[in-house]
Amino acid sequence: MTDSEAAREPVLPMASANDVGSLALLHAAFLNDYELLRTRLATYTGSPEQAADILHDVYLKLRSNPQITEVREPRAYLYRMALNLAKNQRRNGRRFVSADEEALAVIPDDAPDPERAALAADEMRRAIAHLHQVPARQRDIFLARWRDEKSQIEIALKFGIHKRTVQKELERAERYLCKKLGLPKLR
């Protein structure tokens, strides 16, 4: 055992003649079985740190000299004591979660992960590069529709063309971009 491991283990006082009995058995079992209890509790809680915290709470309860009459299996008694403390902690943690936090916990996170964000940025860069390859009027009509969110009638008025011409130019630009980006046809 290293010095740092020894420093982490709680130091229990020596049992006096008055403490002989169940409490003394529990103190001795706590010292002897500390690592086993911590390992089993870490498996139950899923966290070695939480298991150590719970065992610290068990130690504090033992130090408070509780009235314990008879203990047949000290290790099982300590483990059950630790499990009860873990359940109480879990129950108390749930009790303090607000309704808003509960509602947020069930909402899926639709934010793109870094890989999806990188792929989308690359696709956007390629789309812009290909957009520069279409004729200028077609590009301006496309940008007016999708970037500036103009209606087809507004675009027709702006360019002095018929609405049907705007539709055809948008279709051509969209078909060209879909083909170059390897996307399925829009219609």
Side-chain angles (χ1 to χ4, degrees), residues 5-148:
E5 289 173 344
R8 278 188 264 150
E9 286 193 29
V11 178
L12 292 170
M14 298 297 293
S16 66
N18 298 336
D19 293 336
V20 177
S22 295
L23 197 53
L25 282 173
L26 289 174
H27 281 282
F30 186 84
L31 281 176
N32 292 335
D33 299 328
Y34 179 82
E35 284 303 317
L36 176 67
L37 289 168
R38 188 174 62 77
T39 302
R40 287 182 66 196
L41 198 56
T43 302
Y44 175 79
T45 62
S47 166
E49 293 82 16
Q50 186 179 10
D53 288 344
I54 291 169
L55 285 176
H56 180 74
D57 291 345
V58 168
Y59 170 75
L60 291 176
K61 281 198 175 284
L62 289 176
R63 289 290 302 231
S64 69
N65 293 324
Q67 298 298 321
I68 300 173
T69 55
E70 181 182 349
V71 176
R72 293 185 187 156
E73 295 291 328
R75 183 188 309 154
Y77 187 94
L78 290 169
Y79 186 65
R80 175 51 57 193
M81 194 175 174
L83 287 178
N84 288 338
L85 286 171
K87 288 176 185 177
N88 288 344
Q89 281 182 1
R90 188 177 303 139
R91 200 174 307 125
N92 288 338
R94 264 190 264 138
R95 195 175 299 150
F96 293 112
V97 174
S98 72
D100 292 337
E101 290 176 20
E102 253 179 49
L104 289 175
V106 296
I107 296 174
D109 183 12
D110 292 332
D113 57 42
E115 181 182 6
R116 282 180 42 202
L119 289 173
D122 182 55
E123 188 174 16
M124 182 60 81
R125 182 190 53 74
R126 290 186 309 125
I128 291 171
H130 289 298
L131 187 59
H132 287 292
Q133 303 301 315
V134 300
R137 184 174 90 163
Q138 203 175 66
R139 179 179 54 243
D140 293 341
I141 291 171
F142 182 86
L143 291 174
R145 175 71 184 116
W146 298 111
R147 182 191 62 197
D148 303 336

